[in-house]
Amino acid sequence: MRIVIAEDNVLLAGGLELLLAAKGCEVAAVAGDGEAFLEAVAEHRPDIGIVDVRLPPSFRDEGIHAALRARREHGALPILVLSQYVERDYAGELLSDGRGGIGYLLKDRIGRVAEFVDALRRVATGGTAMDSEVVAQLLARRGGDPLDTLTAREREALALMAQGHDNATIAERMRISDNAVHKHVGNIFAKLGLAPDDSGHRRVRAVLAYLDGAPGPASGRG
């Protein structure tokens, strides 16, 4: 897996290079700002880009704009965005183009190497990886509505589904059978009034849109 990184913090960028090399990945280039990242993507044609939300010169949302532009110009290039803090609007903006290959994680997740690399590989193959803290905040924000009708296990499955995990991974994490997960997912979609969809990215978009209070995508789109 070839990777281009956009990160202005030299120590963090160096640490990412070492970590990824140890996991058999190739870091083709490290860029310090959005424009340099786009140039590196055009030159190296990576399998995925890792992008910090805040990049020079203003350290606001240059990374998000560079990520979205890279996806427009390079065939929905998979992008894993890293952020210091939970910023839900950025996660929603990344998901808005309706295609997979998107991840949004807090930087402290890098220290959980196995989880970080798993998320990276999932995004590189067209999946979705949303930070659990983003999902937790969205779940907490929705109160007094159909979420209250979910059982504790259904809420647990919902949180894992919103993070981008497939049914097999949800079953493993919850220590239940695949059939039990399928039943939980069916109940969740029925109770929340969402169209059932086994397509991973569309499923994540539907759930996150519901949690954020926006209409979910129709089952036939994506």
Side-chain angles (χ1 to χ4, degrees):
M1 180 164 53
R2 285 166 54 80
I3 303 167
V4 169
I5 298 172
E7 173 58 66
D8 66 294
N9 184 311
V10 176
L11 289 177
L12 179 56
L16 275 171
E17 281 193 89
L18 291 173
L19 183 157
L20 294 169
K23 294 297 179 180
C25 303
E26 176 190 350
V27 176
V30 177
D33 59 54
E35 286 301 320
F37 169 73
L38 291 168
E39 291 172 5
V41 167
E43 177 182 353
H44 296 286
R45 301 289 178 169
D47 300 305
I48 186 171
I50 299 176
V51 182
D52 187 359
V53 166
R54 301 178 186 273
L55 292 172
S58 68
F59 295 96
R60 296 180 63 186
D61 56 3
E62 287 88 349
I64 292 293
H65 291 299
L68 293 173
R69 182 174 161 189
R71 284 174 64 79
R72 288 195 304 269
E73 297 178 356
H74 299 283
L77 172 72
I79 295 285
L80 178 61
V81 168
L82 299 178
S83 179
Q84 190 70 37
Y85 309 103
V86 173
E87 298 174 272
R88 291 193 309 266
D89 290 345
Y90 292 153
E93 191 171 358
L94 288 165
L95 288 164
S96 64
D97 70 0
R99 296 176 287 185
I102 280 294
Y104 182 94
L105 297 180
L106 294 179
K107 287 185 175 180
D108 62 10
R109 303 298 182 215
I110 297 171
R112 303 176 187 179
V113 176
E115 292 182 21
F116 174 72
V117 174
D118 174 69
L120 183 68
R121 295 190 187 281
R122 191 161 73 244
V123 172
T125 55
T128 305
M130 287 290 116
D131 196 279
S132 59
E133 283 300 317
V134 174
V135 176
Q137 286 197 18
L138 291 174
L139 278 168
R141 181 178 170 186
R142 293 296 300 261
D145 63 17
L147 278 180
D148 294 337
T149 68
L150 300 183
T151 67
R153 294 296 266 172
E154 286 168 354
R155 288 177 69 93
E156 185 179 353
L158 175 67
L160 290 167
M161 186 165 49
Q163 291 169 44
H165 295 298
D166 59 20
N167 283 6
T169 303
I170 294 173
E172 180 182 351
R173 298 217 175 173
M174 293 181 66
R175 298 182 179 180
I176 58 178
S177 68
D178 288 347
N179 285 339
V181 172
H182 185 75
K183 182 178 179 181
H184 282 325
V185 171
N187 289 342
I188 290 165
F189 273 81
K191 289 179 179 180
L192 300 186
L194 296 171
D197 195 336
D198 287 332
S199 174
H201 183 66
R202 287 204 299 270
R203 186 168 80 169
V204 172
R205 286 178 59 221
V207 172
L208 289 176
Y210 175 84
L211 293 177
D212 206 26
S219 62
R221 299 175 58 190

